[in-house]
Amino acid sequence: MKVGIIGLGYVGLPLAVAFAEANTDVVGLDVNHRVVEGVARGESSVEDVPSERLAPLVGERIEATTDHARLADCDAVVICVPTPLAHRREPDLAYVESAGRSLAAVLRKGQLVVLESTTYPGTTRDRLLPLLEESGMRAGSDFHLAFSPERIDPGRTDHTIRTTPKLVGGLTPACLDRAAELYALICDDVVRLTSPEAAELAKLLENIFRSVNIAMVNELAMLADRMGIDIWEVIDAAATKPFGFMRFEPGPGMGGHCLPIDPFYLAFKAREFDFPTEFIELAGKVNLHQPHFCVEKVVRALNDIGRPARGSRVLLLGVAYKAGVGDLREAPAIRIGELLRELGAEVSYHDPHVDELPDLGLRSLELGEALSESDVACIVTAHPEVDYERVVAEAPLVVDFRGITRGIEAANLVRL
Ligand SMILES: NC(=O)c1ccc[n+]([C@@H]2O[C@H](COP(=O)([O-])OP(=O)(O)OC[C@H]3O[C@@H](n4cnc5c(N)ncnc54)[C@H](O)[C@@H]3O)[C@@H](O)[C@H]2O)c1
């Protein structure tokens, strides 16, 4: 068994390692030479895959390449390329299409092709299939085609690729069987769906569910702020209900490659059906406003101690989009930094996972120095390595957007 993986990023690299660790040979292909050279040296750029885990597999089980011809002798090829948004929040399928075209040129009879990139229902059938069939072969008979969404959550260790059920939707029953067989090598539980479209939409449902609930609790946080009620106490209280409630927390806004982007793939597709997806749009609007609300909180906190934002030294604590990782994609800290600068504040940051923040032209400062040289420290992302008691003790003023300081009482502390 040999599996080709197209795109060796946050999704493709862990998948390559999972197959290799299940004693399957892997051809890892990426168009980015730097990525391929890194993998070939056994160096991982994905935090969930330590280089110590990758290195012994490279050469033994994993071959990294930029050459599509190397995919020709794979039994299955899995596509894990980006699906970003283009202008006006419309899907950009250029990476999927480019991967599909390159694969069509080397596609061989009997191969299975699986798309894992998150996308709107119909992409596998309407966009990828025609490109692959330009090879002259027919899906379902000459080759097989399926969609199987990636459910990875960077930084999470309690659920792995093996223990997270894998959704699979095939173009035909035979396509489904082939794809289910493939993923049974690395997943304990493979869930069979009747079509690629159902699998595509299931992934979007998961992400939209989170986006809408985060927006709802963000909106309540703004209201609670105005009413003078502690939102964290309210959430803790509601979460004591043993049924019918699921905890979501407010924060500085949504980040990462998934939640700020994927829902708009569905909103776009829905327009073809004359269907306005109002929950998606509203959630996007509320979550996009959240960095503005956070900045307003900082300005008010400074005002309360008699300082204007202009000229104040503001430290952002944690700039990655979530705790425990160094991923800066769509990170709300960047927008917060920009908004503070527009007000004339001097912005700096400390993040144990991010050495450099090119969007703001900054480098991470050492924590002690950062705290002593700021007028206010804003906890944007609550990385577990940071000692928050120390932050509250050493910073003149702390504004906490994550509720990580719950349990600490101090006059210089303000929470979302
Ligand atoms: N990151 C996540 O947490 C996550 C979780 C679930 C699903 N997804 C989805 O998985 C897909 C991939 O996301 P990612 O985070 O791994 O992206 P990524 O940017 O980390 O990696 C994608 C890789 O694909 C390569 N690439 C681009 N075009 C290519 C082509 N034509 N041929 C070969 N390689 C190509 C890029 O060089 C890059 O290394 C997206 O659709 C995303 O929405 C991501």
Side-chain angles (χ1 to χ4, degrees), residues 18 57 77 98 167 175 200 218 235 252 258 282 335 347 402 408:
L57 299 167
V77 179
S98 149
L167 305 183
C175 295
E200 288 162 334
N218 276 338
I235 294 168
C258 297
L282 182 60
R335 187 72 192 119
V347 178
R402 293 289 185 176
I408 304 175

Side-chain angles (χ1 to χ4, degrees), residues 230-242 245 247 406:
D230 181 347
I231 187 68
W232 302 100
E233 185 184 358
V234 173
I235 294 168
D236 286 345
T240 60
K241 187 175 179 184
F245 182 81
R247 185 186 185 102
R406 271 172 295 164

Side-chain angles (χ1 to χ4, degrees), residues 6-7 9-11 30 81 83 95 98 117-118 150 152 154 257 329:
I6 302 186
Y10 283 89
V11 168
D30 204 290
V81 296
T83 43
Y95 299 95
S98 149
S117 304
T118 308
E150 180 49 64
I152 207 160
H257 185 39
R329 290 182 290 184

